[in-house]
Amino acid sequence: MRVVAIILLAASIFCSCRKFDDANPSSLSSFIRLYEGTVGYKGIMATETESKDGYIIVGNVQKNIQETDAIVIKTDILGNTVWQQTISNSVVSFVEPVSDGYLIVGDRIDFDPNASQISEISNTDAQLIKMDLDGNIVQQFIRKDSVITSTDTLRVDYHGSAVTIDQAGNLILLGSFKNPVGNSFERSFVVALDPTFQVVWSQSYLLQNRDYINSRSIYVTPSSNLIWASTAFVSSQNLSDAYLSVLYTGENSTFKNNDLFGENDTRSHLVSGISESGFNYGVVGTYAESNGQNANIYFLLVSSTGTIISGSERYFDGATIELTDRDVSESQDEGKAITGTNDGGFVIAGALTSTPSVGNGGKDVILIKVDAFGNHIWNQLIGGSGDEEANSISETSDGGLLICGTNNVNGLSSIFLIKTSKRGEIVN
């Protein structure tokens, strides 16, 4: 394994740093692990297994410009690989452990370089795969469709975003799709599958004149409704306009609530994650100008009825952390992922682009802990001389944090898995 220097700035972003190369586990089970090959690996998500005997990691392997495979890695509690499986011609977005295996959500890719139309060269179908505990595929659901025009049959591109399980044991799959005909926009869809992967019901959700870009989570609320968060997005050339849309609906029904945030702002609010903690849900994303510059992390709370809690919004900059003026940006920061914690609070995982005053070069991972009201408690910075970008974070059964993402050094990317203490520390 190539040597990658990953540095932890313990206690605060200005403290002395330590160097880790595949850092060995300590008595607190803190470690850094890298998973790589001869081509680029991208870490998408990791979580603890249902039996608490290790972790399951999903990522994407870019074989060449056109071809991508999904990869699933099972590890022990110290991050050592137990088995590894590849899902050919696929990308993955989400993994959910269950008692007898793992639910994998993503896209199946059909690549046809000889297609008569550009839109048909690469097509995607949303897919939900169930693997057993040894990584064998035992069930599969594909969401696909076509549109017949006067001259052609065109594929509808479907994307899988996330999955959860309702009180009846049905699998609730969240995804999106776009009609290839006309000036259409990306819609969200939810489909319920019984345990045999047969469709129980299906609904789609449209926002006029904007694309829905789903975050990678969907929840069943205590009242048996569904809640998820999407970016309402429109772009023109290199500029974008985006705001947060929180979707709240009954099973097999239209909206009960669709609360919005930032729709009247001149800057964009892109959403990357929503997570449950206590009685509320925390949302994290990136607040930036229309060209993506001067970006800060934002956080807000959503009630169990899908209502954005007024006054809960917080803005964070990697250099100064809490902001009283959300438009001030000393460093370029993105809100990438969020997890609820057992104390009712949340931990945010962000990406900080280093500046002369903060960071270790390239992009670093910044962790920000907030309480149940969004008030800042602590922050940590993890990074080396390359680019480290987190894509998921979750709390483990021992109260620690599990972070997964991509490490890029000298143009070669690998998946990283970081296990920290509950305060985001790597103890060596």
Side-chain angles (χ1 to χ4, degrees), residues 243-291:
Y243 54 83
L244 166 65
S245 173
V246 177
L247 295 93
Y248 178 79
T249 178
E251 294 195 6
N252 198 21
S253 74
T254 57
F255 292 134
K256 290 187 175 181
N257 193 7
N258 183 15
D259 217 354
L260 308 176
F261 184 81
E263 71 273 25
N264 297 318
D265 288 341
T266 57
R267 296 190 181 191
S268 291
H269 286 83
L270 298 117
V271 62
S272 59
I274 180 171
S275 184
E276 185 178 19
S277 186
F279 298 103
N280 294 320
Y281 299 84
V283 173
V284 71
T286 303
Y287 171 70
E289 294 179 3
S290 57
N291 61 1

Side-chain angles (χ1 to χ4, degrees), residues 48-55 74-78 82 102:
E48 195 169 26
T49 63
E50 186 84 1
S51 60
K52 316 301 181 191
D53 66 342
Y55 309 107
K74 167 66 169 62
T75 79
D76 62 19
I77 60 172
L78 303 180
V82 175
Y102 312 99

Side-chain angles (χ1 to χ4, degrees), residues 9 25 36 82 120 139 155 227 269 288 313 341 344 356 374:
L9 300 187
E36 60 190 349
V82 175
E120 301 304 290
Q139 287 176 291
R155 291 272 295 276
I227 189 170
H269 286 83
E313 62 271 16
T341 52

Side-chain angles (χ1 to χ4, degrees), residues 123-260:
N123 292 117
T124 59
D125 303 322
Q127 67 179 357
L128 171 63
I129 290 172
K130 184 175 182 181
M131 284 185 167
D132 65 19
L133 293 172
D134 297 317
N136 303 303
I137 295 176
V138 294
Q139 287 176 291
Q140 187 174 23
F141 170 79
I142 301 293
R143 183 68 182 265
K144 61 185 294 185
D145 202 356
S146 300
V147 175
I148 299 175
T149 71
S150 59
T151 57
D152 294 287
T153 299
L154 304 178
R155 291 272 295 276
V156 178
D157 285 327
Y158 279 87
H159 305 284
S161 302
V163 69
T164 191
I165 302 174
D166 69 10
Q167 286 89 340
N170 294 318
L171 309 178
I172 307 298
L173 175 65
L174 171 67
S176 65
F177 69 98
K178 187 173 185 178
N179 193 312
V181 178
N183 187 24
S184 62
F185 292 88
E186 194 89 5
R187 302 184 183 197
S188 293
F189 75 83
V190 178
V191 59
L193 307 171
D194 68 18
T196 66
F197 277 43
Q198 298 302 306
V199 175
V200 179
W201 58 262
S202 180
Q203 291 283 346
S204 64
Y205 304 90
L206 172 66
L207 187 66
Q208 294 294 329
N209 301 321
R210 284 179 183 263
D211 290 325
Y212 265 141
I213 303 175
N214 297 325
S215 64
R216 291 183 290 115
S217 293
I218 183 170
Y219 291 93
V220 179
T221 71
S223 59
S224 299
N225 291 299
L226 303 174
I227 189 170
W228 70 97
S230 296
T231 300
F233 183 84
V234 65
S235 65
S236 176
Q237 297 179 343
N238 293 324
L239 303 179
S240 66
D241 179 34
Y243 54 83
L244 166 65
S245 173
V246 177
L247 295 93
Y248 178 79
T249 178
E251 294 195 6
N252 198 21
S253 74
T254 57
F255 292 134
K256 290 187 175 181
N257 193 7
N258 183 15
D259 217 354
L260 308 176

